[in-house]
Amino acid sequence: MSKQVVIIGAGPAGLTGAYELNKLGLRSTVLEADDVVGGISRTVNYRGYRFDIGGHRFFSKVPLINELWREILGEDFLDRPRMSRIFYNGKFFDYPLKAANALKNLGPIESMLVGLSYARAKVFPSRDEENFEQWVSNRFGHRLYSIFFKTYTEKVWGIPCTEISADWAAQRIKNLSLTEAVRNALFGSGKSRDGQVITTLIDSFHYPRFGPGQMWERCEKLVNESGNQCVRGVQADRIRHRNGRVEYVVGRSTNGEQIEFAGDHFISSMPIRELIHAFDPPPPDEVLRAADGLRYRDYLTVVLIVNREQMFPDNWIYIHSPEVMMGRIQNYKSWSPDMVPDPRKSSLGLEYFLWDKDDQWTWSDDRLIELGIQECERIKIIGRSEVEDGTVVRMRKAYPIYDQHYQENLAVVRRWLDTIVNIQCVGRNGQHRYNNQDHSMLTAVFAARNIVGERHDVWSVNVEKEYHEEAKVATPAAGERLVPARIIRPEPAAPVPSPDELIEAAFARLDPIALGTAVGTLTGLGLFMATAILLLQHGPRVGENLSLLSHYLLGYKASSWSGAFIGLVEAGIGGFILGYVIAWLHNIGLGRYVSMIRRRAVREEEKEILEKV
Ligand SMILES: Cc1cc2nc3c(=O)[nH]c(=O)nc-3n(C[C@H](O)[C@H](O)[C@H](O)COP(=O)(O)OP(=O)(O)OC[C@H]3O[C@@H](n4cnc5c(N)ncnc54)[C@H](O)[C@@H]3O)c2cc1C
């Protein structure tokens, strides 16, 4: 096929797009503004010490993505144990929190206060659940919230928890995988719908031997070797379009040279705000304003090379201590021993979540390294004398912000983009969505397949309700490569059941009136028929056994038709009461069981609450 595709950005999304297009027999050119590939998922190499932007776990519920990772990286895709704890008040707390460990570290008085505050939240929960603080306090108590959630969340997002909407918590923490948790609690298989064993994020994850960038450097190599090209150091500056089609992208190289890249199709993983501003001629003002309303949180990491063989066993530590600015510490040697060139040394990544307008963003590297050392000393993680060297990496637009206007703004932008038929937006900032690598990649796989005539909705990946695509990925026959099934647009996607719908489907409640009527009819008619048969037989010892019922049924006689009718009515009433009570008791028991299952599922979900922040 002769279609030429231009892809903007050589992060996970852009490179996956090129890789998939190549499989489909299409040529592509990937433009990467930076001089490295991998985007936010890159590996940085400083004097042989490797580190990444935050620590990238490779974990996906989408089989297609797991297969792609293995296919690209092969043996260097390690399975790593996971450990992470919370550091607070000079102590390490197990994470997910464990009661005994938390009690020991908090001490008897604080533990008692935490317990009282928890009890208070359960008895007198805050009626309003409008913000994150109320949402978490209602579940864990205000005191536990203050210790384990407030500081870290505010460090990450830079806004008070009272200003973060509770919907955000409910969406990120509750809805995303509660359905899966409820399904597991109900059916207990430990497997997801596609039959894959669910390894929780708690136990282990995959990681490339030399950090996430190794995956993307290797992917770039495969793309280039197959006759496509990934061009580093070229920034997509302008997107020329006419009559609803993009004609070419004007790229600017690091030395200022301008190059035009023409194509039949275009895939963009650059931040959607910048994409809108790159269109030439520009979109209407209203669209430009909406794009300007999309905001991002920036991120900076100070890496310290430490003269110590073993720091701690954790991959990372959450720093909840309010007296320091850093939010987490990554211990890269625990991610993969090969991240450190000298086994006698360790390297730590101190993570700072910032706005690029913050003072610290513009501080010199030396000043930031000094800040890092001072903060480590303050919380007694390491001593100054142990630090051998350090470096700083800044990553703008690390997190797309979900504020109260982003959905409206994105809708305006998308409506306009729909008028340009040959460009598709993929990835994290490309779609302004809080996508991890797997979802970023899946959007690109969909985009590539759309170019060959399939019809996938790239915007349906990682939508709020659930992993939509999960239901659409078929389980492969042996050796067969998984492909997401087509979405035929006019057909609405199969609705994903909510946790409550799942529970309802699994445990139908009994209707007491219906069961009462059924049992009553059965017993009343049963007795009437039995009496009638005996009466019609006219035997010498008519109804000897049935007559015993006259002890219980007032006026019942097995030897007369009037008795038969009295039996019909009384046995009917008795049967109705029996059926009604059985249904009522069944429903009470079921209610208890269901709420126990729900509580267990919610507890499982809440264990990983920090990861979802
Ligand atoms: C702190 C942190 C921790 C994370 N941890 C995990 C994790 O544990 N697991 C996980 O799976 N994911 C994690 N993620 C998310 C992951 O980094 C992203 O999902 C992924 O990198 C997004 O890929 P992308 O290709 O969409 O975008 P990016 O990675 O942002 O790549 C976009 C690329 O486009 C380039 N570009 C931008 N503008 C232009 C232009 N005009 N012209 C040319 N090129 C351009 C950029 O330089 C960049 O290389 C984490 C993210 C952060 C911030």
Side-chain angles (χ1 to χ4, degrees):
M1 289 192 228
S2 60
K3 283 177 188 166
Q4 171 68 31
V5 185
V6 178
I7 300 176
I8 305 172
L15 284 169
T16 304
Y19 187 80
E20 183 68 16
L21 281 168
N22 184 56
K23 289 191 167 183
L24 297 168
L26 294 191
R27 301 283 115 217
S28 65
T29 303
V30 185
L31 310 179
E32 171 52 55
D34 230 319
D35 54 2
V36 290
V37 296
I40 306 173
S41 309
R42 71 186 59 188
T43 299
V44 183
N45 188 334
Y46 176 71
R47 288 184 32 215
Y49 288 88
R50 292 182 164 86
F51 51 92
D52 66 271
I53 311 299
H56 278 66
R57 281 178 295 162
F58 285 65
F59 175 86
S60 184
K61 291 183 188 172
V62 186
L64 165 71
I65 299 299
N66 287 313
E67 273 190 43
L68 273 178
W69 282 334
R70 295 212 163 279
E71 194 175 290
I72 295 170
L73 208 57
E75 285 181 355
D76 279 342
F77 201 40
L78 310 179
D79 192 3
R80 299 293 300 159
R82 176 249 165 102
M83 180 172 177
S84 50
R85 285 177 295 170
I86 294 173
F87 186 79
Y88 173 75
N89 210 8
K91 303 220 168 68
F92 287 97
F93 290 76
D94 288 343
Y95 177 73
L97 293 174
K98 293 199 187 90
N101 168 273
L103 289 179
K104 187 173 137 242
N105 281 337
L106 288 173
I109 295 178
E110 185 63 42
S111 297
M112 199 180 68
L113 294 174
V114 162
L116 287 174
S117 133
Y118 178 78
R120 184 168 185 271
K122 291 289 136 189
V123 183
F124 305 109
S126 163
R127 285 253 173 101
D128 302 322
E129 258 194 18
E130 280 168 11
N131 60 47
F132 186 73
E133 177 170 309
Q134 289 161 340
W135 195 92
V136 180
S137 300
N138 273 356
R139 278 149 190 84
F140 297 93
H142 191 268
R143 207 154 180 109
L144 213 56
Y145 151 79
S146 313
I147 298 173
F148 291 116
F149 299 102
K150 181 179 187 314
T151 329
Y152 180 69
T153 309
E154 290 184 351
K155 280 181 188 179
V156 174
W157 291 105
I159 25 180
C161 287
T162 46
E163 287 174 29
I164 297 177
S165 110
D167 287 349
W168 177 80
Q171 181 207 324
R172 291 216 33 84
I173 293 158
K174 221 167 144 195
N175 289 349
L176 263 176
S177 43
L178 186 58
T179 308
E180 201 61 64
V182 166
R183 185 179 293 115
N184 285 331
L186 289 177
F187 309 119
S189 69
K191 291 185 175 180
S192 67
R193 270 175 293 168
D194 53 36
Q196 290 244 323
V197 176
I198 296 167
T199 332
T200 70
L201 295 180
I202 294 168
D203 306 320
S204 69
F205 54 83
H206 289 289
Y207 192 69
R209 182 178 301 282
F210 294 114
Q214 187 188 5
M215 177 74 74
W216 305 114
E217 284 155 25
R218 173 102 181 103
C219 187
E220 180 199 28
K221 187 163 177 278
L222 295 173
V223 164
N224 284 339
E225 280 172 0
S226 53
N228 303 284
Q229 52 169 346
C230 176
V231 199
R232 299 184 184 197
V234 172
Q235 176 169 327
D237 239 8
R238 271 187 305 132
I239 320 275
R240 281 289 306 170
H241 65 107
R242 200 155 53 111
N243 299 332
R245 291 187 74 81
V246 174
E247 294 183 326
Y248 57 91
V249 170
V250 183
R252 188 165 39 84
S253 69
T254 32
N255 59 15
E257 192 191 346
Q258 295 214 339
I259 318 156
E260 286 175 9
F261 296 88
D264 305 293
H265 290 272
F266 297 80
I267 296 178
S268 165
S269 69
M270 67 190 279
I272 197 163
R273 184 172 83 186
E274 265 72 85
L275 174 76
I276 288 296
H277 279 279
F279 275 100
D280 177 13
D285 284 351
E286 173 212 15
V287 178
L288 293 172
R289 266 199 309 279
D292 286 337
L294 297 173
R295 300 188 306 134
Y296 307 86
R297 182 89 167 136
D298 307 299
Y299 169 100
L300 177 156
T301 184
V302 173
V303 175
L304 300 180
I305 296 166
V306 183
N307 209 345
R308 204 196 287 183
E309 191 171 335
Q310 282 304 335
M311 291 298 312
F312 31 78
D314 312 60
N315 311 99
W316 70 90
I317 294 174
Y318 296 100
I319 305 295
H320 286 222
S321 317
E323 64 273 21
V324 293
M325 265 180 69
M326 71 172 100
R328 270 186 318 205
I329 301 183
Q330 299 290 339
N331 178 19
Y332 290 108
K333 210 172 170 179
S334 287
W335 286 80
S336 159
D338 291 305
M339 297 294 273
V340 174
D342 181 345
R344 293 165 304 167
K345 314 269 168 76
S346 300
S347 73
L348 297 182
L350 319 180
E351 301 181 73
Y352 294 91
F353 307 94
L354 296 168
W355 305 108
D356 62 4
K357 294 177 203 69
D358 287 336
D359 277 355
Q360 289 85 352
W361 188 261
T362 53
W363 283 8
S364 69
D365 287 4
D366 285 345
R367 192 168 170 198
L368 285 165
I369 292 167
E370 179 55 30
L371 170 76
I373 295 173
Q374 280 176 11
E375 292 205 331
C376 283
E377 283 202 308
R378 195 166 310 144
I379 58 173
K380 301 193 174 60
I381 291 274
I382 45 170
R384 173 178 295 276
S385 58
E386 293 180 282
V387 180
E388 196 183 281
D389 197 359
T391 185
V392 175
V393 175
R394 294 169 181 79
M395 179 57 71
R396 277 202 164 87
K397 301 191 175 62
Y399 297 92
I401 297 265
Y402 284 9
D403 57 22
Q404 63 270 50
H405 304 297
Y406 92 94
Q407 278 175 318
E408 275 160 56
N409 288 328
L410 201 54
V412 174
V413 165
R414 279 180 58 185
R415 262 200 303 280
W416 185 80
L417 279 171
D418 280 346
T419 64
I420 315 282
V421 295
N422 62 341
I423 188 161
Q424 300 179 76
C425 292
V426 297
R428 181 170 166 112
N429 291 334
Q431 292 197 334
H432 202 84
R433 196 166 281 169
Y434 203 34
N435 284 337
N436 270 345
Q437 289 176 100
D438 60 340
H439 286 128
S440 305
M441 293 166 67
L442 196 65
T443 57
V445 171
F446 280 179
R449 292 179 183 185
N450 285 342
I451 292 174
V452 293
E454 293 188 15
R455 294 170 72 196
H456 301 281
D457 182 0
V458 292
W459 293 95
S460 72
V461 176
N462 195 14
V463 284
E464 281 148 34
K465 276 265 173 186
E466 246 267 18
Y467 270 70
H468 245 202
E469 69 286 1
E470 200 195 337
K472 301 186 186 97
V473 178
T475 312
E480 199 183 315
R481 191 160 170 273
L482 283 161
V483 291
R486 282 179 177 200
I487 301 170
I488 307 298
R489 280 228 173 80
E491 273 179 29
V496 179
S498 71
D500 289 330
E501 283 163 350
L502 256 179
I503 288 174
E504 248 171 55
F507 303 111
R509 290 169 69 81
L510 295 178
D511 180 340
I513 304 261
L515 191 67
T517 310
V519 177
T521 311
L522 211 67
T523 47
L525 279 180
L527 183 59
F528 178 79
M529 300 277 280
T531 316
I533 289 168
L534 290 174
L535 283 169
L536 292 173
Q537 280 176 348
H538 292 299
R541 291 152 65 96
V542 166
E544 240 182 19
N545 294 332
L546 267 190
S547 297
L548 293 173
L549 283 176
S550 59
H551 293 292
Y552 305 100
L553 302 176
L554 213 63
Y556 172 73
K557 276 199 201 111
S559 53
S560 74
W561 282 103
S562 62
F565 280 105
I566 289 173
L568 168 74
V569 174
E570 290 190 15
I573 293 172
F576 178 85
I577 294 170
L578 183 70
Y580 191 96
V581 169
I582 289 174
W584 181 66
L585 288 174
H586 169 274
N587 290 346
I588 288 184
L590 191 64
R592 298 246 159 92
Y593 182 57
V594 163
S595 61
M596 185 195 81
I597 282 184
R598 211 169 203 298
R599 270 203 309 278
R600 201 192 301 154
V602 169
R603 260 202 316 274
E604 278 303 306
E605 269 308 278
E606 287 171 349
K607 270 186 190 169
E608 298 205 359
I609 193 168
L610 286 181
E611 258 102 298
K612 288 159 185 157
V613 163

